[in-house]
Amino acid sequence: MKNNYDTIARYYDFLSRTIFQRSIINAQVYLLSHIKPNTTVLIVGGGTGWILEKFQPSGLEITYVEISESMLTLSKKRVQYNNVQFVHQSIEEFTSSRQYDIILTPFLFDNFSATNAAVIFEKLHTCLKTGGDWLFADFVDDPKQLWQQIMLKTMYIFFKVFARIEAGKLNDMDGLFSRYQYQKIDERFYYGRFICAAVYRKEL
Ligand SMILES: C[S@@+](CC[C@H](N)C(=O)[O-])C[C@H]1O[C@@H](n2cnc3c(N)ncnc32)[C@H](O)[C@@H]1O
């Protein structure tokens, strides 16, 4: 199976925090500040579920889609202040009869080939209400930053070996958001601008 984080699920947060300290957490906590109470939220690729403990008890209806069974098992043990529906499925297989106010994809799209990223983007686009916000976090591909290029290459080798991820490089996500005419309403950078957290609004 591709993109299989089962074998590294137990060590994932330790690794991520050792390398990036609190940058990955801070980027996503900043995104959460854009979520209003009593709304519906679709989280895809939430990992170990640490993020669920960062939400305030605010009447949210959260759908949590994770392909990794081990990640999902860890997520279910987290304290949840809101109504969370856990879905053990790939986002490719997931179907929804509802549209969401918010979609959160934290470090998800760096897993996919360009072709698959475009297909998944289109699917999530249809799952988001017009006027809704897509909260996006991922790494930045800046060819002028040699240290970032070395880190990216190293991470891709590591995740190819241990999680069999299908991607070998980052996708042009800004290009996809522009193609679907999203408006970027807020953006912040972390870890020497290697990590980006952005809020995109669905206009059409
Ligand atoms: C790089 S990890 C990020 C985890 C978490 N968001 C974080 O920042 O700590 C990517 C996560 O996406 C999940 N994932 C990868 N491909 C997926 C897919 N096709 N559908 C749903 N989840 C997927 C993995 O199982 C993993 O938990």
Side-chain angles (χ1 to χ4, degrees):
M1 187 175 84
K2 288 207 167 158
N3 294 348
N4 185 352
Y5 281 73
D6 282 348
T7 47
I8 52 170
R10 281 172 55 212
Y11 319 104
Y12 186 86
D13 286 347
F14 171 76
L15 280 175
S16 138
R17 270 150 225 191
T18 304
I19 299 166
F20 297 107
Q21 294 108 48
R22 292 191 60 82
S23 303
I24 290 206
I25 298 172
N26 292 343
Q28 293 177 58
V29 168
Y30 150 73
L31 289 175
L32 297 192
S33 66
H34 290 80
I35 302 178
K36 297 192 179 77
N38 304 311
T39 51
T40 52
V41 182
L42 173 62
I43 303 177
V44 188
T48 63
W50 61 264
I51 197 163
L52 293 170
E53 294 179 341
K54 303 287 179 195
F55 282 92
Q56 298 301 310
S58 48
L60 301 174
E61 293 266 331
I62 299 173
T63 306
Y64 190 93
V65 179
E66 235 310 326
I67 193 175
S68 158
E69 193 172 2
S70 305
M71 289 291 202
L72 207 64
T73 303
L74 293 170
S75 301
K76 285 177 182 167
K77 291 182 187 152
R78 301 281 182 170
V79 178
Q80 283 116 45
Y81 300 111
N82 295 283
N83 181 13
V84 185
Q85 184 204 356
F86 291 98
V87 181
H88 179 215
Q89 257 183 347
S90 71
I91 189 58
E92 292 92 322
E93 292 165 328
F94 173 71
T95 50
S96 173
S97 51
R98 77 199 305 188
Q99 281 189 309
Y100 293 85
D101 299 302
I102 298 280
I103 289 181
L104 174 62
T105 56
F107 300 89
L108 175 75
F109 276 89
D110 52 12
N111 287 283
F112 305 126
S113 66
T115 312
N116 223 4
V119 173
I120 291 164
F121 190 98
E122 160 89 41
K123 174 175 219 167
L124 290 175
H125 173 70
T126 61
C127 289
L128 183 62
K129 288 180 186 168
T130 301
D133 288 342
W134 188 324
L135 310 180
F136 175 85
D138 220 322
F139 296 101
V140 175
D141 189 359
D142 181 350
K144 288 192 242 103
Q145 298 294 342
L146 184 63
W147 67 273
Q148 293 181 5
Q149 295 296 316
I150 292 168
M151 278 190 90
L152 261 182
K153 284 221 157 47
T154 311
M155 285 192 297
Y156 271 116
I157 291 168
F158 177 87
F159 285 111
K160 263 268 180 274
V161 172
F162 291 102
R164 301 193 58 225
I165 65 164
E166 66 177 44
K169 61 183 171 83
L170 293 175
N171 291 298
D172 175 16
M173 296 307 297
D174 225 23
L176 276 174
F177 280 110
S178 304
R179 198 189 306 164
Y180 286 80
Q181 299 185 34
Y182 279 72
Q183 197 194 341
K184 195 190 282 179
I185 59 168
D186 211 353
E187 181 175 45
R188 274 198 199 168
F189 292 92
Y190 300 84
Y191 204 77
R193 295 183 74 85
F194 188 34
I195 288 172
C196 169
V199 181
Y200 290 92
R201 184 151 296 161
K202 180 174 172 178
E203 302 271 286
L204 302 174

